[in-house]
């Protein structure tokens, strides 16, 4: 056993101990003071060992990816690999969701009293609903919005309103939308990695992106859909900076701006995706000049969604101010910051897996080794190595996650809320050796979580 592998194992053991501590201390706090408001600390879940119709499919997908994922990822044509990644991610997410059955696992997930579909009928006049949106955020306001509607800008709810308008109403279609679109997030990350860090590292990360434990939650909430939109905004930015095929780069710049604007109107916290975008620019500093050519298009795209909602009468800043007040009116004002500020990180371990903990250790070691190339200085070598570029991108996502954590606006439920950031931690697994062993650990964690716990909101 090499020294590097021993250190990887120690990192994963430390991550596992963090989870154990969060479980034991969380159970004690919940038993004595009942201030956590979660059923199985640190997760918003209940203990419910069960099997379901998705169990055989989930086991089959996991076994297939572990056995054939790494070699296929190196041999398949690139576009075929992207299509296979999307299809396999969907199969993994669908099968895990169906462990709970169609009704409980998919059809009613977005129809509970907390969710967006509860207010579809209140958007029969969309401009009027947008103009009046902020008047229903606070708990004491008349007909206040359910928690998830109040906790997000209106583009989140409008997604399901528009699905209903085109005949795809109800929880089943909403769940299918979130799973199908959410599964494309891994493709967006692969495109970004290929553009910035090279195709080899992207291929090595593909099985880990497909078989991630976060699929347990990608199939149970709209945050998987948000993660995909955010991921594609970053991917298009990477393509714009690459400068390949100039007309396409300019189109990518506009598309990136458009999706960045949409991301900010799906979730207030996803404005932190800007830190990952900054990571893209740092990694691509030798090619940022390419972006300046498309900068007007990027800014034009960025203005579309905010301008549309503002002209319709929705004030993002006022809504966010009211959301903060609403947050502290409810469980957010009672949940102890001193527990969640570190227990949230245990949730992150559970959605990204022990392999990611080991991968992050390698990412940090890579940056230390390549530190002379990280900052542009006179006489310094050129761009960082491909491994260091990947590590910079991963650690920019970790920085965004830590900022969200320290803000105090993410106390609990981060296994769902932080999916858009967690997607960008998974590529660290490309730096690991013995991928099949680590993939087995990832799949086992997801299967155990999904069969022992019942997640919900």
């Amino acid at each position: 056993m090499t020294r590097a592998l021993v250190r990887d194992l120690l990192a994963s053991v430390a991550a596992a101990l963090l989870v154990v501590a969060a479980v034991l201390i969380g159970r004690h706090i919940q038993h004595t003071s009942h201030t956590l408001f979660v059923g199985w600390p640190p997760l918003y879940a209940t203990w419910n060992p069960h099997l379901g119709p998705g169990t055989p499919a989930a086991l089959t997908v996991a076994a297939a990816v572990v056995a054939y994922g790494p070699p296929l990822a190196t041999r398949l044509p690139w576009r075929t690999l992207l299509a296979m990644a999307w299809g396999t991610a969907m199969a993994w997410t669908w099968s895990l969701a169906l462990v709970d059955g169609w009704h409980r696992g998919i059809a009613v997930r977005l129809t509970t009293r907390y969710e967006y579909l509860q207010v579809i009928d209140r958007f029969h006049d969309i401009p009027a609903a947008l103009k009046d949106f902020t008047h229903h955020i606070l708990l004491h306001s008349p007909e206040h919005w359910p928690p998830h509607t109040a906790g997000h800008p209106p583009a989140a709810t409008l997604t399901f309103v528009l699905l209903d308008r085109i005949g795809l109403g109800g929880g089943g279609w909403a769940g299918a939308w979130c799973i199908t679109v959410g599964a494309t997030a891994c493709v967006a990350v692969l495109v970004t990695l290929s553009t910035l860090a090279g195709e080899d590292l992207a291929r090595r990360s593909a099985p880990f992106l497909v078989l991630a434990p976060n699929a347990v939650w990608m199939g149970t909430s709209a945050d998987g859909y948000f993660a995909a939109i955010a991921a594609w905004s970053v991917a298009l930015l990477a393509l714009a900076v690459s400068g390949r095929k100039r007309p396409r780069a300019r189109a990518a710049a506009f598309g990136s701006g458009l999706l960045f604007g949409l991301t900010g109107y799906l979730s207030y916290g996803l404005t932190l995706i800007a830190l990952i975008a900054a990571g893209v620019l740092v990694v691509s500093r030798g090619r940022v000049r390419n972006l300046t050519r498309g900068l007007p298009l990027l800014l034009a795209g960025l203005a579309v969604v905010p301008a549309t909602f503002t002209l319709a009468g929705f004030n993002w800043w006022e809504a966010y101010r009211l959301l903060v007040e609403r947050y502290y009116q409810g469980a957010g004002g009672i949940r102890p910051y001193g527990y969640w500020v570190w227990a949230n990180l245990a949730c992150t371990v559970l959605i990204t897996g022990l392999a990611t903990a080991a991968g992050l250790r390698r990412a940090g070691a890579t940056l230390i080794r390549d530190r002379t190339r990280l900052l542009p200085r006179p006489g310094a070598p050129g761009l960082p190595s491909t491994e260091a570029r990947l590590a910079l991108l991963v650690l920019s996502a970790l920085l965004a996650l830590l900022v969200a954590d320290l803000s105090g606006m993410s106390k609990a439920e981060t296994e769902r809320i932080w999916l858009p950031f967690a997607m960008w931690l998974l590529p660290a697994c490309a730096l690991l050796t013995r991928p099949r062993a680590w993939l087995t650990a990832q799949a086992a964690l997801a299967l155990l979580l999904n069969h022992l716990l019942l997640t919900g909101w």
Side-chain angles (χ1 to χ4, degrees), residues 225-301:
Y225 154 56
F226 303 161
I229 298 300
W232 280 109
S233 68
V234 175
L236 290 174
L237 177 64
L239 291 173
V241 174
S242 73
R244 300 171 189 170
K245 299 181 180 179
R246 188 172 297 179
R248 292 187 183 181
R250 290 179 175 176
F254 180 81
S256 176
L258 185 66
L259 293 184
F260 271 122
L262 176 59
T263 296
Y265 278 75
L266 290 171
S267 174
Y268 298 103
L270 286 187
T271 52
L272 290 174
I273 289 294
L275 292 175
I276 303 178
V280 169
L281 299 181
V282 171
V283 170
S284 308
R285 66 172 184 261
R287 296 179 287 183
V288 170
R289 184 177 300 175
N290 295 326
L291 181 61
T292 60
R293 302 189 185 101
L295 185 60
L297 287 170
L298 186 142
L299 294 176

Side-chain angles (χ1 to χ4, degrees), residues 301-372:
L302 185 61
V304 170
V305 173
T308 301
F309 278 93
T310 301
L311 290 173
F314 172 73
N315 187 324
W316 191 97
W317 292 102
E318 175 66 8
Y320 179 70
R321 183 188 67 79
L322 293 171
L323 164 65
V324 174
E325 187 176 342
R326 165 75 181 261
Y327 182 76
Y328 286 99
Q329 287 178 334
I334 301 172
R335 285 170 170 157
Y337 181 86
Y339 171 77
W340 287 111
V341 74
W342 61 270
N344 283 337
L345 302 180
C347 293
T348 304
V349 172
L350 291 172
I351 64 176
T352 59
L354 299 180
T356 302
L360 288 173
R361 185 208 70 80
R362 292 220 174 199
T366 299
L367 291 182
I368 293 172
R369 187 186 65 232
D370 212 27
R371 59 186 179 275
T372 58

Side-chain angles (χ1 to χ4, degrees), residues 43-44 110 114-116 147-148 151-152 214 216-218 220-227 267 270 335 347-348 351 411-422 455-457:
L43 299 178
Y44 196 102
L110 293 168
Y114 300 107
E115 288 286 1
Y116 310 97
H148 287 188
H152 295 80
N214 67 5
V216 174
W217 290 272
M218 293 286 279
T220 63
S221 73
D223 294 83
Y225 154 56
F226 303 161
S267 174
L270 286 187
R335 285 170 170 157
C347 293
T348 304
I351 64 176
K411 289 181 287 188
E413 304 180 48
T414 52
E415 66 272 18
R416 167 183 61 85
I417 299 168
W418 287 356
L419 286 172
F421 307 124
T455 59
W457 318 111

Side-chain angles (χ1 to χ4, degrees), residues 125-164:
D125 184 342
I126 291 176
L130 292 177
K131 189 174 182 179
D132 198 43
F133 192 87
T134 57
H135 297 153
H136 305 286
I137 292 178
L138 297 179
L139 276 177
H140 56 69
S141 60
E143 296 183 290
H144 63 261
W145 299 120
H148 287 188
T149 301
H152 295 80
T157 304
L158 275 181
T159 298
F160 302 104
V161 171
L162 295 176
L163 284 175
D164 184 76

